[in-house]
């Protein structure tokens, strides 16, 4: 069956929130596990959708992944500068991995960024352990931008996020 990438609607919010939360939990990406404050943010797709564009990857009637696309200057941006869009919270259900869902979501974000007037780059943050994602980003033309690496919790050592950028043509 084909995967369709579309804007997430209210009926997608709960399943996409669970997919995102479960992906981060099951992959060991939350330093504080079930007690991690970020878990609530991952589940709150409605809040993200009110501040950015949330895309859903759908197979048949089932949501299998999603991503938050933050156009230039959006309130959900962590690292985007003027003229940049940002990709956040990319997640694919474990059962749908390895089938191109993540790639389709990243490509959809790049396409949306190209349609934003004045947008010249797409940026993102990723954890050091997300090696499969790093390979995907690099295959799609993203390059590491180590000078932009950052720590979302400065009071906690060793949570540095790696950054990547794709220059749009």
């Amino acid at each position: 069956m084909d995967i369709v990438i579309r804007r997430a609607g209210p009926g997608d919010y709960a399943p996409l929130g669970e997919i995102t939360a479960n992906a981060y939990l099951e992959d060991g990406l939350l330093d504080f596990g079930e007690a991690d404050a970020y878990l609530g943010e991952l589940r709150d797709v409605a809040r993200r959708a009110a501040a950015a564009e949330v895309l859903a990857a759908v197979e048949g009637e089932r949501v299998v992944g999603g991503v938050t696309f933050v156009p230039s200057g959006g309130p959900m941006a962590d690292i985007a500068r003027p003229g940049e869009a940002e990709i956040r919270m990319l997640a694919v259900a474990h059962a749908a991995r390895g089938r191109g869902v993540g790639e389709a979501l990243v490509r959809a974000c790049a396409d949306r960024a190209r349609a934003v007037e004045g947008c010249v780059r797409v940026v993102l943050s990723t954890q050091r352990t997300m090696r499969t994602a790093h390979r995907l980003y690099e295959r799609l033309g993203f390059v590491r931008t180590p000078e932009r690496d950052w720590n979302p919790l400065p009071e906690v050592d060793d949570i540095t996020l790696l950054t990547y950028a794709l220059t749009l043509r």
Side-chain angles (χ1 to χ4, degrees):
M1 198 169 283
D2 290 329
I3 304 295
V4 174
I5 307 298
R6 60 169 169 73
R7 186 178 210 126
D12 302 321
Y13 296 170
L16 183 53
E18 287 310 304
I19 287 168
T20 308
N22 289 337
Y24 276 68
L25 279 170
E26 293 171 14
D27 291 347
L29 302 173
L30 297 173
D31 289 309
F32 306 105
E34 291 278 354
D36 201 300
Y38 194 51
L39 194 57
E41 194 171 331
L42 294 171
R43 284 190 169 115
D44 194 352
V45 178
R47 187 181 78 67
R48 284 185 292 188
E53 185 176 2
V54 177
L55 303 178
V58 181
E59 182 177 43
E61 297 294 318
R62 192 172 53 112
V63 175
V64 295
V67 66
T68 301
F69 173 72
V70 185
S72 298
M76 290 274 313
D78 279 332
I79 64 167
R81 298 173 181 160
E84 296 178 337
E86 189 166 340
I87 295 173
R88 300 217 30 221
M89 301 175 198
L90 174 67
V92 177
H94 279 269
R97 290 185 180 178
R99 297 176 24 214
V101 175
E103 180 173 341
L105 287 163
V106 173
R107 286 184 184 277
C109 288
D111 289 345
R112 278 169 168 69
R114 286 182 184 94
V116 174
E117 186 174 338
C119 188
V120 298
R121 192 172 299 105
V122 179
V123 296
L124 60 88
S125 301
T126 181
Q127 293 185 21
R128 284 176 274 180
T129 58
M130 296 173 150
R131 290 178 187 85
T132 301
H134 303 166
R135 287 190 296 274
L136 166 65
Y137 303 141
E138 290 164 6
R139 190 172 70 249
L140 295 177
F142 284 79
V143 296
R144 277 278 290 121
T145 52
E147 69 280 3
R148 293 176 77 168
D149 292 354
W150 64 291
N151 182 338
L153 298 171
E155 68 278 6
V156 180
D157 290 336
D158 205 33
I159 303 185
T160 300
L161 297 178
L162 307 181
T163 59
Y164 282 82
L166 173 69
T167 299
L168 301 173
R169 298 189 189 343

